Structures are given as C-alpha cells and as structure tokens.
Amino acid sequence: MNQTTSQTSIDPVHIKPTLEKIGYRLIDCGNHWRTKALYRGGDNETAICVYKNTGVWTDFAQGNQKFPFERLIKLTCGSDQQAIKKILSSINKSEEYVYTEKQTIEMDQIYPESMLNNLFPNFSFYKKKGLSDDTLNFYKTGLAQSGKMYRRMVFPIYNEHSQIIGFSGRKIDSDNDKIPKWKHLGKRKNWIYPAYIPAEETVDSIIRKTGEVVIVESIGDSMALFEAGVKNTLVSFGLGCQSIMLSYLSSFPVKRIVIAGNNDLEGENHGYLGCVKTLLNLLPYFDFNCIEINLPPESHNDFSDAFTSGVDLKKWYNTPVDRSQFIKELITFVAANKQKFKEKDLSMLRKVLKSS
C-alpha cells in the first residue's frame, strides 16, 4: 500500500507526547494508535488511526484518506495560531520532504470453513465436565483425529467477518505430561474470542448490549460460564489484555469489566498477578470503578472445576464484589510484590486508589 503525502519531517519520538499534551488518549494497537476525533467532538475511542513512525493519520468516519500530522494538530488547536506554531516548531525537523508510506500489512491466515468437517463430534471429554450439546455446538468444537491437532478438542477462532483465523486445541490425554494442555494455530494477539463465533445471538452482541464482560484465561473457563448462563466472556489465552482487546472494549460504552484469572493454589498466586497486570493495562482507558478482580469462587482452580463441583456460577457473577475488600486485597498484594511491576504502573495505581 503506497500513499504519498507532503509534510514536514516529524521525529517519531515526539508524536505520542504531543498528542497526549493536547488531550488525546491513545490506545496502543501495534504499529499505530487509536483515539477519539477530538477536533470534531467525536466519542468513538477508535475513530482515528495515527501511525507511530510518521504521525500520518486517518479518520475512519470520514473515509480512508490519510493526512499529515500537522493537519491533526491544526484541526485540534483550531484558531489558536500561537499554540499551533509553538507545537510544530518543537517537533518539526528543518527539511521538507515527500513522505511515501510503504506499509506492510500483516494479514491473518484465513482457513476454509470446510476444515470443521474433519472434526469428529465426540464430546465425551467435555460431557464428563457437565457441558451440554448446546454449549459444545455453539463453540463448534470437535475431536481432531489427524494433523497438528491430533487427539485434541479443537475450537475454531473467528474474526468479525465470520472467517476462521486460527484454531485452539485442548489435549484429551490427561495422563500425558509431555505435551502442553493447549496448542494454538494462528496469531493469538489478534483474537477476540469467542466474540465472533457465528450464531443467532453472538457473544459480541451480548457484550455490547450489556456493557459487561468477563475476561478469563481459557476456553474451558468460557464454556463453563456459558453453560451457567454467563455468556459475555472474552478469553485472554494467557496473554493478558492485548492491544486488540483494548481497542475492542473501547469501541462501546463499558459498565463492568470482571478480570477472572485462575486460582494458582500452590506457591505464588500467578493467576492473581496476571489479573493485576491486566487491570494495569485497562486503567489508562477505563474508570477504575467499573473494573474488578474476581477469581473462581470457593478457591477452585478455574471455572471449569467450579462448575463441575456444582458451584452456581451465575450467582457468582451476579453477586457484587465487596469493593472495599477488593481494594484492600489489591493494595496488600501489590505492596508484597512491587518488584514485579513497573514504577510508572505503581504510580498510576497509587493515584487511582487514592482518588477511589
């Protein structure tokens, strides 16, 4: 993709602080940021795309045309010519040039839907865990009897266009410790799962309608909650809250985010540590009061274990977290593990906790 734009050379190191200084809240999306169109009073958190290496930007609400960084500064500052001049003089290099953008777009591999025909409808592994045919059919799972996912329950990963962009497979041989429990094919960092599984009512529509979401670690957790009637889950696949998930959650009004990692009962609670790090990723973009950490109830390792043991997960979800207890536990944990966090994150958390 080539796009030619005439502009003054911008040192990339100045782009982010300049935008934040004039009021833009940036969502990191890899090679670019997403943000609101402040200059026209927009409220969509992902309407503008600003490329990190050049400052070239696009307002998707007004088409795909690309504009130089200076134009965004001028539109945002409006008639304040003195402010515009001061900002541009501090970030511009002296030479003029013609910028030719050569962007390499890293595309997800698209797999044919027909591949699902190779999955055998043997649900015994999950039937033992109490999951119904309705839940298993919703997730479109099946047993692979050949290939890279041999002897695994396989789950297709869909994008917003109902295309399969990857697969996740759960081993069924629990006595074989030589192979990992889960195996993934595709770019996990690009997955928003199970939001886009094709259905009469998608998980995406449920999340957007309720404004609530539960972030869990694995597909097993998601299915257990789905079976219990809690269908608004997103799976982190052990990666925490990636940029694409931040971008997704920023695209609609969010009222409640439940971070629900696993209970690691032996030694250090790495599950809670992961939850805190996810919380820190969310804090720059969402009100702290709409975020909570709520691990599987009754000290069960995960939601699958809790569901199999007969725990009412719908009640767990509908029972509000004791906010004061949550904050107390958070402060205690961070104080005991502060060496595991960046100082800027600790500073941000202290500021949020002080005002809460």
Side-chain angles (χ1 to χ4, degrees):
M1 179 187 299
N2 291 330
Q3 179 76 29
T4 301
T5 306
S6 179
Q7 69 167 39
T8 303
S9 176
I10 305 295
D11 188 338
V13 73
H14 295 307
I15 296 173
K16 185 174 187 289
T18 299
L19 290 175
E20 291 177 335
K21 186 176 181 179
I22 59 177
Y24 285 97
R25 189 175 69 171
L26 303 175
I27 300 172
D28 195 321
C29 298
N31 69 339
H32 67 279
W33 295 290
R34 292 291 186 92
T35 187
K36 291 181 181 180
L38 295 181
Y39 66 88
R40 57 176 173 81
D43 58 4
N44 185 334
E45 298 277 0
T46 60
I48 287 183
C49 166
V50 183
Y51 291 98
K52 293 181 178 180
N53 63 334
T54 61
V56 170
W57 61 282
T58 295
D59 185 341
F60 291 114
Q62 300 182 10
N64 291 322
Q65 184 177 356
K66 292 181 170 59
F67 301 101
F69 188 66
E70 291 94 329
R71 179 178 173 86
L72 183 56
I73 300 299
K74 291 176 181 178
L75 286 172
T76 306
C77 293
S79 59
D80 192 342
Q81 296 299 318
Q82 186 174 354
I84 295 172
K85 183 177 180 180
K86 183 178 180 180
I87 292 171
L88 294 182
S89 64
S90 67
I91 64 176
N92 288 344
K93 296 178 182 178
S94 58
E95 71 273 15
E96 294 288 331
Y97 78 118
V98 175
Y99 163 67
T100 302
E101 179 189 354
K102 294 182 179 179
Q103 182 186 358
T104 300
I105 300 178
E106 187 179 355
M107 301 294 289
D108 287 306
Q109 180 176 345
I110 306 299
Y111 299 87
E113 189 85 14
S114 60
M115 292 184 69
L116 302 185
N117 297 332
N118 299 324
L119 300 179
F120 189 68
N122 182 343
F123 299 151
S124 59
F125 178 81
Y126 282 114
K127 284 292 190 69
K128 294 176 182 177
K129 297 177 180 289
L131 299 182
S132 66
D133 285 342
D134 287 344
T135 293
L136 295 167
N137 286 326
F138 178 87
Y139 283 80
K140 299 184 180 294
T141 189
L143 180 64
Q145 303 199 78
S146 62
K148 295 179 179 179
M149 291 291 191
Y150 176 66
R151 299 290 292 167
R152 291 180 180 273
M153 294 299 295
V154 175
F155 300 84
I157 312 297
Y158 288 86
N159 65 13
E160 65 270 31
H161 306 297
S162 298
Q163 299 170 315
I164 298 176
I165 58 172
F167 295 94
S168 189
R170 170 56 158 99
K171 74 173 182 179
I172 62 173
D173 299 321
S174 58
D175 57 342
N176 188 348
D177 295 330
K178 295 182 179 180
I179 60 175
K181 181 186 292 188
W182 288 94
K183 183 175 183 178
H184 311 288
L185 298 178
K187 298 179 176 65
R188 280 184 293 164
K189 66 179 182 179
N190 293 338
W191 295 354
I192 304 175
Y193 181 85
Y196 301 125
I197 295 176
E200 184 175 342
E201 183 178 38
T202 64
V203 171
D204 172 60
S205 66
I206 296 171
I207 292 174
R208 291 179 183 275
K209 180 172 62 178
T210 62
E212 299 185 1
V213 64
V214 184
I215 300 175
V216 297
E217 287 192 22
S218 75
I219 294 176
D221 295 320
S222 178
M223 288 197 298
L225 286 166
F226 188 96
E227 184 73 33
V230 182
K231 301 180 178 181
N232 51 328
T233 63
L234 291 180
V235 180
S236 70
F237 296 99
L239 298 177
C241 194
Q242 294 291 294
S243 297
I244 194 166
M245 190 182 292
L246 285 171
S247 180
Y248 172 78
L249 293 174
S250 298
S251 65
F252 58 91
V254 176
K255 296 187 296 184
R256 183 187 183 199
I257 302 174
V258 182
I259 307 171
N262 291 348
N263 279 307
D264 296 321
L265 303 178
E266 297 181 3
E268 297 182 33
N269 197 333
H270 295 289
Y272 193 83
L273 175 63
C275 288
V276 176
K277 290 186 175 181
T278 296
L279 175 115
L280 291 170
N281 288 338
L282 292 166
L283 279 182
Y285 311 105
F286 301 96
D287 186 348
F288 174 65
N289 293 312
C290 81
I291 307 171
E292 63 191 70
I293 294 176
N294 196 0
L295 274 58
E298 301 181 15
S299 297
H300 286 283
N301 181 64
D302 55 33
F303 290 100
S304 181
D305 289 344
F307 178 78
T308 305
S309 300
V311 176
D312 187 344
L313 295 180
K314 190 67 176 289
K315 181 179 179 180
W316 163 86
Y317 177 72
N318 289 329
T319 302
V321 167
D322 183 326
R323 199 75 190 169
S324 61
Q325 182 65 24
F326 158 57
I327 292 176
K328 182 179 179 180
E329 290 176 356
L330 179 61
I331 292 173
T332 301
F333 182 86
V334 171
N337 297 274
K338 59 183 178 180
Q339 73 279 4
K340 297 178 181 178
F341 302 98
K342 296 178 180 178
E343 182 54 40
K344 66 175 184 178
D345 290 333
L346 293 175
S347 177
M348 174 179 60
L349 185 58
R350 292 189 197 102
K351 183 177 180 181
V352 169
L353 291 173
K354 187 176 181 180
S355 61
S356 64

